[in-house]
Amino acid sequence: AYDVLVVGGGPAGASAAIYAARKGIRTGIVAERFGGQVNDTLGIENLIGVKYTEGPKLAASLEEHAKEYNIDIMKAQRVKSLEKKDLIEVELDNGAVLKSKTVIVTTGARWRNLGVPGEAEFKNKGVAYCPHCDGPLFAGKHVAVVGGGNSGIEAAIDLAGIAGHVTVLEFMPELKADSVLQDRLNSMPNTTVLKNAQVKEITGTSKVDGISYIERESGETKHIELQGVFVQIGLVPNTDWLGDTVERTRTGEIVVNNHGATNVPGVFAAGDCTNSPYKQIIISMGSGATAALGAFDYLIRN
Ligand code: FAD
């Protein structure tokens, strides 16, 4: 059995495994895709201390760093359940069961996609999901934010300070964001809000050059020329596999305390799959370290 078994191999999982292994305890990491979301990222400019890197390069160096330690790395393996018995048992899709005294869940999240033509094609070519990451690429340009919930309106306010113009498109007749955010957005001169607007297509040739939407009231299709589209229709944590074993929020985020501990003794969590705010690489790495130190603390007390 392991002392610490990390589920997930993104920035949070790699960090948790390295911190655990550095304590000289038996550490394993099981992941479907090592590197996680980082694999899908082009330029990364906000990993402090690294001026610029690219997703696949960072993913490779996370793995290289983990390999420096005595860590059992199990790649291309999907976990399907977790059960607390004497030890914590983690079952893989292939039926194998891994046992550990503590488990750190770092299965991350995924941005909900719009699913319209052009979205996948122009990902990283004008289609973006993270205003903190990619906002500065659109300085002075016209961008759209799709989604009028809190994250959409926060993104629009953030982008309005950088971009030339920001157009928000919301499917419903009203924005769902808090009214203080809506007021803030409305006070910014370079913003437009379109409600009852159904995005139909993101257009472009080598990169985004516009967005087409259906004005739901009239049924008419309209087109706006712009250079960027930020999709903000929700972040979905990869936690369904946990079922009711661990406490999660209404949206599925694992509830953790400031030591990374969940409500189940010995089960910790870190990164985008938790209810900690702001989903970023550096934050995931930090919370992975916290969870590993939390697990170590738990091990020496139990
Ligand atoms: P993830 O990276 O999501 O990793 C989850 C891991 O769990 C993966 O290894 C996955 O395969 C594994 N997994 C999931 N389910 C299972 C299962 N059932 N069984 C086994 N393994 C499983 N952040 C920045 O700071 N700067 C940026 O520039 C930036 N740009 C981004 C661009 C894009 C396109 C995207 C998608 C994200 C970007 N982010 C950026 C966000 C950043 O990538 C995430 O915050 C970070 O990767 C979260 O790390 P994590 O380890 O919590 O989860």
Side-chain angles (χ1 to χ4, degrees):
Y2 295 105
D3 291 313
V4 173
L5 177 64
V6 179
V7 181
S15 166
I18 290 168
Y19 263 76
R22 285 173 57 81
K23 295 292 183 190
I25 55 183
R26 271 160 302 162
T27 304
I29 183 168
V30 54
E32 203 172 356
R33 189 170 64 137
F34 212 96
Q37 291 168 68
V38 166
N39 287 296
D40 306 324
T41 307
L42 200 62
I44 300 168
E45 301 181 341
N46 58 2
L47 177 56
I48 305 310
V50 180
K51 259 196 306 200
Y52 179 83
T53 186
E54 288 178 352
K57 196 170 152 198
L58 179 62
S61 77
L62 289 176
E63 191 172 344
E64 207 181 301
H65 196 172
K67 281 183 175 156
E68 285 291 305
Y69 292 92
N70 189 15
I71 300 171
D72 226 347
I73 301 179
M74 295 158 271
K75 291 198 289 185
Q77 296 293 341
R78 212 182 139 75
V79 168
K80 68 173 176 198
S81 67
L82 174 151
E83 197 180 344
K84 167 112 180 163
K85 296 189 177 163
D86 252 0
L87 293 167
I88 300 156
E89 301 193 359
V90 165
E91 189 179 357
L92 308 185
D93 260 359
N94 69 11
V97 175
L98 303 171
K99 297 182 183 178
S100 184
K101 291 180 188 157
T102 66
V103 168
I104 303 175
V105 178
T106 68
T107 41
R110 57 193 189 275
W111 270 304
R112 184 168 280 134
N113 291 334
L114 268 172
V116 298
E119 181 184 27
E121 189 183 345
F122 298 119
K123 200 175 261 184
N124 288 326
K125 294 175 189 150
V127 174
Y129 297 83
C130 174
H132 315 299
C133 314
D134 298 335
L137 300 175
F138 298 92
K141 296 186 175 162
H142 185 177
V143 299
V145 171
V146 181
N150 280 336
S151 52
I153 302 308
E154 282 167 14
I157 293 168
D158 177 355
L159 292 165
I162 304 168
H165 195 91
V166 179
T167 301
V168 175
L169 294 100
E170 163 60 44
F171 179 82
M172 299 301 284
E174 293 304 329
L175 300 181
K176 290 179 297 270
D178 298 343
S179 56
V180 13
L181 293 174
Q182 295 192 36
D183 293 346
R184 183 72 210 281
L185 182 70
N186 291 331
S187 76
M188 304 180 90
N190 58 337
T191 62
T192 310
V193 175
L194 302 172
K195 298 173 196 166
N196 247 333
Q198 179 182 357
V199 175
K200 196 175 159 192
E201 184 178 359
I202 297 167
T203 60
T205 44
S206 60
K207 52 184 200 265
V208 169
D209 66 14
I211 192 166
S212 296
Y213 66 97
I214 300 167
E215 219 176 50
R216 294 172 64 216
E217 216 161 55
S218 65
E220 275 176 52
T221 298
K222 302 263 168 101
H223 184 261
I224 311 172
E225 282 181 22
L226 42 70
Q227 291 79 46
V229 177
F230 283 80
V231 180
Q232 295 287 315
I233 54 172
L235 191 72
V236 193
N238 302 319
T239 58
D240 283 349
W241 63 277
L242 286 164
D244 292 332
T245 52
V246 172
E247 185 189 356
R248 295 185 290 153
T249 65
R250 200 175 43 81
T251 57
E253 294 177 336
I254 301 168
V255 177
V256 290
N257 68 14
N258 61 3
H259 287 61
T262 70
N263 66 318
V264 179
V267 179
F268 294 76
D272 282 13
C273 65
T274 71
N275 66 338
S276 72
Y278 312 122
K279 315 301 189 197
Q280 294 283 284
I281 295 167
I282 195 164
I283 292 171
S284 300
M285 287 179 172
S287 69
T290 300
L293 297 177
F296 181 69
D297 215 13
Y298 171 88
L299 286 168
I300 60 180
R301 284 159 201 272
N302 285 279

